Amino acid sequence: MSLILSPPKLVLLAVHLAVRGDIQTLTALAARHGAILRKDLLLRILLTYLPETLQSAQYVDLIRHLDDGELPESDTAHIDCSAVEGLAEEDARRKVKKLQLLPLAFPYAPEEAADDTTALFLLHRAYKVDEEAGLLDELPGLLKPFLDHSPCIRTLMISAILPLLRRNCEYHPQEPIAYTLSGFEQLPDRVAVNLLLSQTGVRDEDLPLIGRDLRGLIGPWLFNERRWKNKRRDSTASNSKAGLDGDDETDEGVCPGWEQFLQWLTTQPSKSWRVAVSAIEQWDGPGDIDLGGWGTLWFNDKEQAHLEQTYARAALASAYLIPEASVAALEGAYSIVAKIAGLLDQEPLAPLHESATTLPALAQHVTGAIASPKNATYMRNSLLDASNTLTSPTKTSTALLRALILSAYLLTRTGSPCTLRRAGELALLQDEREQKAEATKFIHVLTSNGPKTDDRFWATARNNILWLRDWGAGDASTPSDHAKGIFGQLKREYLEAEILKGLLANQRYAMARDIYEDNPSRPLDTKLLQDTIFATAMTAYDNASNPNRTRGGLKKCDDILKAFPKTIDSSLTAAQRIEALLQATHALSEYRLVLKQGEPFTPVVLRVHTDPISIIGKILEQNPKSYTRIHDLLDLGARMVQAGLTAHDKPGRHGVSITPEEEAQQRSTAAKRITAMCIDAALTEDDFETAYSYVVHRLASPAAPTTTTPDDYSWKAALQAGKYRRTSRTIRPTHLGTASGNPDIRHLEQRIECLGTALRIAPSATLQEILNAFRRAEEELDAAIKAEAEQEDAWDAAGDTIIHGPMPGGFTTTPTPHHHQSNKTTEAAPPPPPTRRHQTEDAPMSLFDLSRASVLSAQRNLTALSSLQRSAAAPAPARASLDQSVTSNSEGEESGTGSGSGQPKRAQRKRDQLREAALGSLVSGVGWLISAPAPPPERRE
């Protein structure tokens, strides 16, 4: 090297060495020519021409020596000046002017570094290395030796380079932030925070690393005064000018980036509550920051307090915002409140499962305005506002949150999912209807899913339900400002009654009896206990699928009533009604019964049926010959009436006790209706004999007609029986008794008797229809009798011919007139076969025969019958005339009988006597309907 180089050539040589990255030669050159290659000039040369890809370790010592002002000299260092020795001085000066060295200062340089050339160079060089080469990881090697040189270098290193370097190169290199260091520094604070946390907790496998991200990204990023907009400083200056005290405690620092982090934290529960829970569990807040060993920084007291208070508020808000009703979610929420209680130096909280067992008394800790209904809106809105008492980091707010979490946990663990917000609304709003719905659902789940044989489970369940009402306050009177539980608006008696229902539904009869009947301090009074038992028994009945009282729900219904012998006495009306209901339902189990196609009969159908007596009609339809069990069916109907099932036939009477008179009336009506159903069923199955028997013996009331209560069932059934006509399918009678041997005549006689019964019990407005049927039956009977008489006469004639004809053996007879009964044969002829007429004369006369004879008499006096028919609506005198006309016609018939002698004559007189007697019976039986006087008593000769 030439011993003497001009200043321009020295500058050009330094630039040449910088471009080549020959830091050692450059250091020697600067040491020898320090007067020309001054510190600022040399730093500008390095800033402008030193390659950005050059490792920081190669030139950081040069920067440190320049900063110290003592460059090491080396006599042995060879400096090659060939690059500039051949240049003319003029050319050297011209090239120097064209160098365009970069200034050390830059637009966004910190104010405190304005006069610090070393700091300006390091900052400027760091930005250039990142922008030109993208070697962000080289910056720690450049700046770390100078962390103590200037606060601005430490601030850039910790608040910008460290978070960005970790975010892009260490934590989430697969998704780096697409910003340079300079660009990242210029971002709005909220945007920068969102970018730093854009990959935090995105994948499930990263959940354990959320605390690392917050500790290593957000914490260091906050250590920059530019992140804080200090209102206190501004207000202090203003107050000083105005002569006011500048220590106003209401002023506080504001950090938009930190507020954005709090927003991020409170939005995570709606996306993934596990992220929020993991973040709070793993990070202790602004006091837990990882600076990578690059020194130690602190926030001032005001900033630290602000960060801790707002972090605790956001954590509590995150718990309220967890939307999932699951045990895991509620355990996560409980871990949040436990963590915040620890950060606030409160008493440590027991684990959730332990608290659910011990059920701590929390009502005494939840006092003041925090339990006000107006605070319910704070669970949805303004959770981070300072005015929100629910998220305020106080002992009262953490106690309330703990109580709500424990309440929701008790419900959810049992199988009745409840979110934390839902529990809060129940506790704060104290809406009785909502609380009742939640309590009912909870107890229903207990009843449905609880074990059938574990009394300890039910003892725990009862304690839980009562705790949910008062949060451990118990029966002792608590101050009015203490909070109530999520069932606080419900009376204890209501909850005890619901618990009793659950016990009975799960057949824990002994336990229920011990608590509610044998316990000296009975939780329920006798009336409420009885009502609850009856209601539970009816619920078991309604849920039954088998009508047999020895099985399933009906057996449970019966067992429930018998489980409380001191409370449920058989003399109670409700107990009697339930017993009658069980008997009626059990009676139905003996029959095949389907009320709706494809659906089997269930007991509840009977209880809610609008017309339970009609079910007996279904039985008669679906069970052949069931009409023969009329006694059982009548008893079934009586049980239905006793059970009160027919009381709702009248509007508004369902479930209301009826008077004995009303019950007797309903029994009578039900019996008549069931009898009519059996008659119709018998006729449908062509069993006329049974139908006739029911009409005669059950519908023909022995009481006076005027005392019989009219109904629309009996007379219609009797009328239908009277209209029935024999067919080939009609079941034949098994016993005739004294009735006619002619099946047609006997059937017509029975029909007429049925119609006569219908006339006696039918309303006046329906007589015309019955009389028409009666007239037609009489006409048919008269024709049948005439045909029989002709057949008998023909038989008699044939018998006479045999008697008066030639006899075998040579015997002869002398003919005699037919009316003369002398026989001059030497040997008596065999008697003729007995005829129906002879049988009738010899047999004792029955009421039925008299009725038949009365029909014959009325038929032969058509004029009188027509008068009788027309008199149905005639006044009383006319009806009396009609009866007299019928009687006179009968007498005229008797006087007009032929004067013949012998048995035919006697038989004729016998029939006339029967007609007269039967006519009197007919008039007495029918005449009352048409107001005819009864005939005079028969005169005995």
Side-chain angles (χ1 to χ4, degrees):
M1 168 183 156
S2 176
L3 295 176
I4 300 175
L5 287 177
S6 63
K9 289 184 178 181
L10 287 175
V11 172
L12 291 178
L13 181 58
V15 169
H16 174 71
L17 294 175
V19 170
R20 293 179 57 186
D22 189 352
I23 301 301
Q24 184 177 1
T25 304
L26 180 60
T27 302
L29 180 64
R32 295 178 183 179
H33 303 280
I36 298 175
L37 298 177
R38 301 181 307 277
K39 175 182 176 181
D40 58 337
L41 175 60
L42 189 57
L43 290 176
R44 291 180 64 189
I45 292 173
L46 293 175
L47 179 64
T48 306
Y49 291 104
L50 188 66
E52 286 79 11
T53 57
L54 186 66
Q55 292 183 355
S56 302
Q58 295 185 21
Y59 61 90
V60 70
D61 289 338
L62 173 60
I63 305 303
R64 186 170 57 251
H65 291 317
L66 289 174
D67 182 58
D68 294 339
E70 296 180 0
L71 290 174
E73 295 185 4
S74 176
D75 297 334
T76 61
H78 175 72
I79 301 176
D80 185 6
C81 301
S82 60
V84 296
E85 283 181 339
L87 288 177
E89 291 296 331
E90 188 64 28
D91 293 338
R93 285 193 296 269
R94 187 169 56 251
K95 286 186 177 185
V96 169
K97 292 180 180 180
K98 294 180 179 181
L99 288 178
Q100 298 182 353
L101 298 178
L102 294 175
L104 296 177
F106 52 95
Y108 44 89
E111 294 181 1
E112 61 267 28
D115 298 330
D116 189 343
T117 55
T118 301
L120 288 175
F121 169 79
L122 291 173
L123 296 177
H124 207 161
R125 174 66 180 177
Y127 291 127
K128 278 179 60 47
V129 169
D130 180 61
E131 291 175 0
E132 301 296 337
L135 297 177
L136 184 64
D137 54 345
E138 280 294 323
L139 301 186
L142 172 64
L143 300 179
K144 189 174 181 180
F146 303 94
L147 289 178
D148 296 330
H149 175 81
S150 173
C152 62
I153 296 178
R154 183 183 295 274
T155 299
L156 175 66
M157 183 70 173
I158 292 178
S159 68
I161 296 176
L162 180 59
L164 187 61
L165 182 64
R166 284 173 168 172
R167 170 64 177 77
N168 286 355
C169 303
E170 183 178 350
Y171 292 173
H172 305 287
Q174 70 281 3
E175 295 288 341
I177 296 176
Y179 282 93
T180 63
L181 176 61
S182 175
F184 178 73
E185 277 272 277
Q186 301 304 314
L187 287 175
D189 291 352
R190 295 182 180 272
V191 176
V193 169
N194 284 337
L195 288 175
L196 288 175
L197 299 176
S198 60
Q199 293 299 312
T200 300
V202 172
R203 299 178 301 174
D204 291 340
E205 55 268 27
D206 291 340
L207 290 178
L209 304 177
I210 294 177
R212 177 205 64 181
D213 286 8
L214 301 181
R215 190 178 299 107
L217 299 180
I218 299 300
W221 183 88
L222 291 172
F223 283 106
N224 191 326
E225 287 297 326
R226 293 190 302 173
R227 312 278 191 243
W228 296 81
K229 297 180 179 179
N230 200 326
K231 292 181 180 179
R232 178 180 176 84
R233 182 181 303 168
D234 297 339
S235 63
T236 300
S238 301
N239 292 339
S240 297
K241 293 179 181 179
L244 301 176
D245 185 5
D247 295 332
D248 187 358
E249 294 298 331
T250 61
D251 295 334
E252 62 178 5
V254 176
C255 180
W258 175 250
E259 294 175 359
Q260 184 60 36
F261 161 71
L262 300 179
Q263 291 289 342
W264 175 88
L265 183 62
T266 54
T267 57
Q268 294 308 307
S270 60
K271 300 176 182 179
S272 174
W273 60 266
R274 298 180 186 276
V275 173
V277 171
S278 298
I280 298 169
E281 285 182 338
Q282 299 173 24
W283 192 40
D284 293 339
D288 179 18
I289 298 176
D290 179 13
L291 300 181
W294 294 357
T296 302
L297 295 178
W298 295 272
F299 298 106
N300 61 47
D301 293 342
K302 193 174 189 63
E303 292 172 345
Q304 185 72 26
H306 172 72
L307 293 175
E308 291 177 351
Q309 293 290 309
T310 53
Y311 177 66
R313 183 183 296 276
L316 298 177
S318 299
Y320 279 107
L321 291 172
I322 294 178
E324 186 174 313
S326 66
V327 171
L330 294 171
E331 289 175 343
Y334 192 84
S335 68
I336 290 176
V337 69
K339 181 64 174 289
I340 296 304
L343 293 179
L344 296 177
D345 295 329
Q346 298 177 6
E347 183 179 353
L349 303 185
L352 180 58
H353 64 87
E354 182 179 334
S355 297
T357 302
T358 59
L359 299 177
L362 299 177
Q364 58 185 346
H365 301 297
V366 185
T367 58
I370 195 171
S372 173
K374 67 180 181 180
N375 289 335
T377 185
Y378 282 138
M379 291 188 295
R380 298 178 179 270
N381 306 311
S382 306
L383 283 96
L384 298 180
D385 286 359
S387 59
N388 190 330
T389 59
L390 299 184
T391 57
S392 176
T394 62
K395 186 175 182 179
T396 301
S397 63
T398 56
L400 173 62
L401 182 56
R402 183 188 180 192
L404 295 178
I405 294 173
L406 184 54
S407 300
Y409 177 78
L410 292 175
L411 296 179
T412 304
R413 181 184 63 176
T414 307
S416 178
C418 179
T419 63
L420 179 57
R421 181 182 296 175
R422 170 66 172 168
E425 291 173 346
L426 292 173
L428 297 179
L429 297 178
Q430 289 294 315
D431 188 308
E432 182 178 359
R433 184 177 62 179
E434 292 294 327
Q435 290 185 0
K436 183 173 292 186
E438 196 67 38
T440 302
K441 183 178 71 170
F442 178 46
I443 297 174
H444 173 73
V445 171
L446 287 171
T447 304
S448 302
N449 302 335
K452 307 296 183 183
T453 59
D454 188 357
D455 285 349
R456 290 180 301 175
F457 170 85
W458 284 101
T460 301
R462 178 171 178 264
N463 293 335
N464 291 346
I465 293 172
L466 297 179
W467 184 89
L468 289 171
R469 176 178 176 269
D470 52 31
W471 282 344
D475 296 332
S477 58
T478 56
S480 58
D481 62 341
H482 284 196
K484 299 179 180 180
I486 63 173
F487 297 156
Q489 204 65 15
L490 304 179
K491 294 182 178 180
R492 176 163 181 162
E493 290 76 10
Y494 170 80
L495 294 176
E496 292 282 10
E498 294 300 313
I499 295 170
L500 173 58
K501 292 178 182 179
L503 291 173
L504 297 180
N506 281 268
Q507 305 176 19
R508 311 314 306 149
Y509 304 132
M511 181 178 181
R513 185 167 54 251
D514 291 342
I515 296 175
Y516 297 100
E517 188 177 63
D518 298 338
N519 189 355
S521 58
R522 301 176 65 173
L524 298 176
D525 60 66
T526 302
K527 180 63 170 59
L528 182 55
L529 178 59
Q530 290 175 348
D531 293 342
T532 303
I533 294 171
F534 289 139
T536 309
M538 293 312 301
T539 300
Y541 177 91
D542 292 342
N543 293 332
S545 58
N546 191 331
N548 192 318
R549 71 178 298 174
T550 62
R551 300 177 182 176
L554 263 64
K555 182 179 184 300
K556 181 185 290 186
C557 175
D558 196 19
D559 292 342
I560 290 173
L561 297 179
K562 295 177 181 178
F564 298 87
K566 300 178 184 178
T567 304
I568 305 300
D569 189 83
S570 59
S571 62
L572 295 175
T573 301
Q576 294 175 355
R577 294 181 68 176
I578 295 178
E579 176 61 25
L581 178 63
L582 292 174
Q583 293 177 0
T585 309
H586 182 75
L588 293 176
S589 66
E590 301 177 7
Y591 303 96
R592 178 186 180 273
L593 182 58
V594 177
L595 300 184
K596 187 179 292 185
Q597 187 67 29
E599 295 183 10
F601 172 78
T602 55
V604 69
V605 175
L606 172 63
R607 195 168 81 89
V608 302
H609 204 286
T610 58
D611 185 13
I613 300 298
S614 65
I615 295 178
I616 298 179
K618 294 290 185 181
I619 292 176
L620 294 170
E621 292 177 6
Q622 300 173 19
N623 298 267
K625 300 295 182 181
S626 57
Y627 60 85
T628 61
R629 302 177 60 180
I630 189 171
H631 294 285
D632 295 339
L633 297 178
L634 289 174
D635 183 70
L636 172 59
R639 294 288 178 262
M640 290 181 178
V641 173
Q642 185 181 1
L645 300 180
T646 58
H648 53 24
D649 291 339
K650 298 179 180 180
R653 294 302 305 273
H654 182 57
V656 179
S657 298
I658 60 177
T659 63
E661 294 77 11
E662 290 177 321
E663 182 175 343
Q665 177 62 37
Q666 291 179 10
R667 283 177 180 268
S668 176
T669 302
K672 293 176 181 179
R673 184 178 177 188
I674 294 170
T675 302
M677 289 179 177
C678 290
I679 293 172
D680 291 338
L683 295 175
T684 302
E685 298 187 32
D686 294 304
D687 189 355
F688 176 78
E689 293 296 327
T690 301
Y692 164 75
S693 175
Y694 292 165
V695 171
V696 172
H697 297 96
R698 295 186 178 275
L699 297 186
S701 174
T706 56
T707 63
T708 302
T709 304
D711 64 273
D712 288 335
Y713 309 112
S714 300
W715 71 267
K716 289 182 180 179
L719 177 59
Q720 292 301 318
K723 290 182 177 181
Y724 181 84
R725 294 181 180 275
R726 291 178 68 251
T727 65
S728 59
R729 298 186 302 273
T730 302
I731 300 175
R732 295 186 178 184
T734 59
H735 178 67
L736 294 178
T738 60
S740 171
N742 188 323
D744 293 331
I745 293 178
R746 181 178 187 277
H747 180 68
L748 287 168
E749 290 170 346
Q750 291 174 319
R751 287 178 56 194
I752 289 175
E753 190 167 359
C754 291
L755 292 171
T757 301
L759 284 171
R760 287 193 298 273
I761 63 179
S764 299
T766 62
L767 291 179
Q768 186 64 45
E769 178 184 1
I770 302 173
L771 288 173
N772 290 338
F774 197 96
R775 178 180 58 79
R776 288 191 294 270
E778 283 182 323
E779 293 173 353
E780 295 176 11
L781 179 60
D782 186 58
I785 291 176
K786 287 182 179 180
E788 185 186 38
E790 291 174 358
Q791 184 179 5
E792 291 177 355
D793 291 340
W795 181 264
D796 289 345
D800 292 343
T801 302
I802 295 174
I803 292 173
H804 297 289
M807 300 297 293
F811 293 96
T812 60
T813 59
T814 303
T816 58
H818 177 67
H819 61 275
H820 187 64
Q821 295 184 1
S822 62
N823 189 349
K824 299 180 180 180
T825 59
T826 58
E827 184 175 343
T835 65
R836 177 184 174 277
R837 183 189 309 165
H838 299 155
Q839 295 173 356
T840 304
E841 290 176 353
D842 296 337
M845 301 302 293
S846 65
L847 179 60
F848 178 75
D849 295 324
L850 292 176
S851 299
R852 180 175 58 82
S854 67
V855 173
L856 294 175
S857 176
Q859 181 64 28
R860 290 194 177 98
N861 294 277
L862 183 59
T863 303
L865 181 61
S866 300
S867 301
L868 178 63
Q869 182 176 349
R870 289 192 302 271
S871 67
R879 296 175 183 173
S881 301
L882 173 61
D883 294 338
Q884 296 174 1
S885 173
V886 173
T887 305
S888 63
N889 287 337
S890 301
E891 294 174 353
E893 179 180 304
E894 181 181 1
S895 62
T897 304
S899 58
S901 60
Q903 183 171 336
K905 184 175 181 179
R906 289 195 301 272
Q908 183 69 28
R909 286 198 303 270
K910 184 69 173 177
R911 284 196 298 269
D912 292 343
Q913 293 174 358
L914 292 174
R915 287 170 184 157
E916 291 175 1
L919 182 59
S921 176
L922 176 64
V923 172
S924 65
V926 181
W928 70 274
L929 293 171
I930 57 177
S931 302
E938 181 180 359
R939 180 168 52 87
R940 297 179 181 268
E941 295 182 356

